[in-house]
Amino acid sequence: QRCGEPGGLRPHVVWFGEMPLYMDEIQDALGMADVFVAIGTSGKVYPAAGFVRATRAKRKIEVNLEASDVSGNFTEQRIGKASVAVEALVDELLGG
């Protein structure tokens, strides 16, 4: 459908009760990742809440306003607003 036609578009997000697209690719990426970052998660909605346990990444970083239900599975936490914490984390990861 064309833009401008009501009801024809949907955001590319996963709604509650839905399974994410490309789960096989997600599992492959979790197995190959060096760094895993979760931003703004409650840790309550699966399967995404289980990704931190599924990854083989050595660094597992949670960026959140507060601890989540899965915080204990991360190796690092950055507590604060994503608008600030993510920029600082990217600078750190890129060596800036």
Side-chain angles (χ1 to χ4, degrees):
Q1 293 190 2
R2 297 178 311 174
C3 291
E5 292 183 15
L9 297 176
R10 168 193 163 153
H12 200 141
V13 298
V14 179
W15 300 108
F16 288 98
E18 290 184 333
M19 184 62 69
L21 299 173
Y22 311 108
M23 280 301 294
D24 290 338
E25 290 87 346
I26 291 169
Q27 294 298 331
D28 290 346
L30 290 170
M32 296 185 315
D34 295 321
V35 178
F36 174 82
V37 180
I39 302 168
T41 182
S42 66
K44 296 179 183 193
V45 181
Y46 286 83
F51 290 168
V52 65
R53 286 191 293 274
T55 186
R56 294 185 182 151
K58 300 236 185 292
R59 287 185 78 181
K60 302 173 187 181
I61 306 166
E62 178 180 47
V63 179
N64 226 347
L65 286 173
E66 59 188 22
S68 71
D69 283 9
V70 293
S71 289
N73 296 289
F74 289 90
T75 59
E76 304 173 40
Q77 277 189 311
R78 309 297 166 92
I79 301 298
K81 291 184 176 184
S83 58
V84 175
V86 171
E87 184 176 350
L89 177 60
V90 169
D91 286 345
E92 175 191 322
L93 292 173
L94 296 177

